[in-house]
Amino acid sequence: MANAGLVARGAHRRGSETSNVRQLRVAVDAAPARRDPTGVGVYVRDLARALVKLEPESVALIGVRPDGPLAATAQAAAHRTWLAGGRHHRWLLHRARRDADEVGGTLVHFTNAAAPLRRMHPYVLTIQDLSLFRHPEHHPSLRLAVAPFTAVAAKRADAIIVPSEATRAELRRVLGIAGRRVVVVPHAASDPDESPPDGAGDRAEARRALGLGEDPYVLSVGTLEPRKNQARLVGAFDRLADRHPSLRLVLVGGEGWRGEALRHALRESSRRDRIHLAGYVPAVRLAALMSGAAVFAYVSLYEGFGLPILDAMRAGIPVVTSAVSSMPEVAGGAAILVDPRDPEAIADGIARALACPAELIRAGHARACGRTWADVAGETWEVYRWAALARDRL
């Protein structure tokens, strides 16, 4: 990542400062990693796996879902607690502190922008983005109720991890939080549960499942909701369809909320028969779809990071993404940037990627393969050490 070197150098300095810090045992909040994870769940899954490999005796996983992707990883951790079911925030309010005590945690990492209201342990907090504050219109009312928890947790945290400079700037602008305790630790391309697809056979099966035949397709991944902007992507596809008569559009993602705009765009589309709604797709099938796409279009209106951008780049697919929030930072000059509110601009960007894919593929692959979850875990561990030292000095 473009700023990963800066983060790593900062982490190294913190490491040298913290050589005398008392033995850490970090209780990592694993509850956001649900079965079939997306978004934050993927971040928690891949980070927790890498942390347990890095520090197996010093990392405990709390709130592990027995049916989730971290069930096996929890067995390799020094200690773990289980979450039988229920909402993450209910567990935070009623059980998280006891779980941290049970595993002997000296520091807790709350991984999804909220922490218990009653503070007992020093803690690090991850905040992916501030869309609840910046774009409340993109969220249902139940989700908006979490915003006060995020504000309080951020003010009390010993350190805050964010995935991008864009989110760090948002923290300063929206919540007035800045300084050394806000640390940028960018993500890496996601690490699926199973092995990657095995060549042409997997891609052919993915095509057959959606009825794509041999036609080229534009792929988009994201929950079907207004912030992900699929309605304008459908409009862009309509503008492309005549110039590319065999091209198809594949939308991968589970049903979100407020789907009226997308449903209207699909009804009005003159090429509805070439648009495929795939729903949620498991990791291996999604990897196969990625590897077979002609272009990956990620034209969200707002993101704190945008992990699918890296996933597509690693798969060797040219990427078109939004020129707003964190997405130019994540793309790092290896994607075509477009105005996500302008279907004509989106269509033009996709057409450019279709015409000249080779340079985008080379640059994108180098970008995505330049960072691993082992790197993310190492930098995250140094944040833990720095936060623990800061508390010891109080």
Side-chain angles (χ1 to χ4, degrees):
M1 310 301 296
N3 59 351
L6 294 175
V7 174
R9 287 195 292 274
H12 177 75
R13 287 196 298 272
R14 292 186 185 94
S16 64
E17 293 170 358
T18 59
S19 58
N20 295 321
V21 73
R22 62 195 173 93
Q23 178 65 40
L24 270 177
R25 174 166 291 163
V26 182
V28 177
D29 169 13
R34 300 173 179 270
R35 185 176 61 183
D36 301 331
T38 61
V40 174
V42 172
Y43 161 75
V44 175
R45 178 196 70 188
D46 293 349
L47 175 63
R49 287 174 175 171
L51 283 169
V52 169
K53 288 180 181 178
L54 178 70
E55 296 284 349
E57 298 302 317
S58 300
V59 171
L61 301 184
I62 58 174
V64 180
R65 297 178 185 270
D67 64 344
L70 289 174
T73 303
Q75 301 297 340
H79 299 277
R80 84 286 307 161
T81 68
W82 302 94
L83 177 66
R87 293 185 177 276
H88 179 229
H89 285 85
R90 181 182 296 276
W91 173 81
L92 281 176
L93 290 174
H94 299 290
R95 181 68 202 187
R97 289 188 298 112
R98 284 181 290 172
D99 281 12
D101 284 338
E102 182 178 324
V103 299
T106 59
L107 182 80
V108 186
H109 181 183
F110 294 110
T111 53
N112 192 19
L117 291 177
R118 184 182 175 193
R119 176 184 166 124
M120 295 294 290
H121 300 84
Y123 68 85
V124 172
L125 181 72
T126 292
I127 298 178
Q128 302 289 344
D129 62 62
L130 290 180
S131 61
L132 289 173
F133 300 85
R134 294 278 284 111
H135 295 286
E137 72 277 10
H138 292 162
H139 299 277
S141 57
L142 186 61
R143 198 182 300 166
L144 291 175
V146 175
F149 289 88
T150 296
V152 171
K155 292 184 185 300
R156 294 177 174 176
D158 295 277
I160 300 172
I161 292 173
V162 296
S164 63
E165 292 290 348
T167 300
R168 173 150 62 181
E170 294 271 73
L171 270 178
R172 181 176 61 251
R173 182 166 54 248
V174 177
L175 297 181
I177 297 173
R180 280 190 83 192
R181 71 187 182 104
V182 181
V183 185
V184 178
V185 180
H187 302 333
S190 60
D191 182 18
D193 290 325
E194 299 91 352
S195 58
D198 183 18
D202 296 278
R203 292 193 293 272
E205 176 56 33
R207 283 178 169 275
R208 281 195 296 272
L210 291 175
L212 295 172
E214 297 300 318
D215 292 338
Y217 59 90
V218 176
L219 178 67
S220 184
V221 176
T223 304
L224 304 182
E225 60 185 18
R227 181 160 66 100
K228 300 301 183 180
N229 204 32
Q230 290 97 344
R232 289 190 180 92
L233 180 56
V234 169
F237 179 74
D238 280 349
R239 289 162 168 79
L240 278 172
D242 288 339
R243 284 180 278 167
H244 299 272
S246 63
L247 188 66
R248 296 175 180 266
L249 174 64
V250 177
L251 302 178
V252 170
E255 288 286 343
W257 77 296
R258 282 186 59 192
E260 299 88 354
L262 176 58
R263 288 192 292 269
H264 176 76
L266 291 170
R267 285 194 303 269
E268 295 296 313
S269 173
S270 60
R271 297 294 184 269
R272 177 64 182 88
D273 60 322
R274 289 160 56 186
I275 301 173
H276 303 260
L277 300 179
Y280 176 84
V281 173
V284 167
R285 178 61 58 83
L286 178 57
L289 280 173
M290 282 268 195
S291 66
V295 171
F296 182 74
Y298 194 75
V299 292
S300 176
L301 298 174
Y302 177 96
E303 294 292 332
F305 191 78
L307 189 53
I309 295 170
L310 292 184
D311 292 345
M313 288 177 171
R314 187 178 63 179
I317 307 304
V319 173
V320 176
T321 192
S322 302
V324 299
S325 65
S326 66
M327 288 166 279
E329 183 181 340
V330 176
I336 292 174
L337 303 180
V338 299
D339 179 354
R341 297 187 178 276
D342 183 354
E344 192 66 48
I346 297 171
D348 179 65
I350 294 172
R352 289 165 55 201
L354 287 168
C356 300
E359 183 176 347
L360 287 170
I361 290 171
R362 283 195 299 272
H365 194 260
R367 174 75 172 165
C369 293
R371 185 168 175 80
T372 69
W373 279 97
D375 298 323
V376 180
E379 291 168 20
T380 299
W381 186 258
E382 293 304 330
V383 176
Y384 298 159
R385 287 162 57 87
W386 179 85
L389 180 66
R391 290 292 297 175
D392 287 347
R393 284 175 172 167
L394 292 180

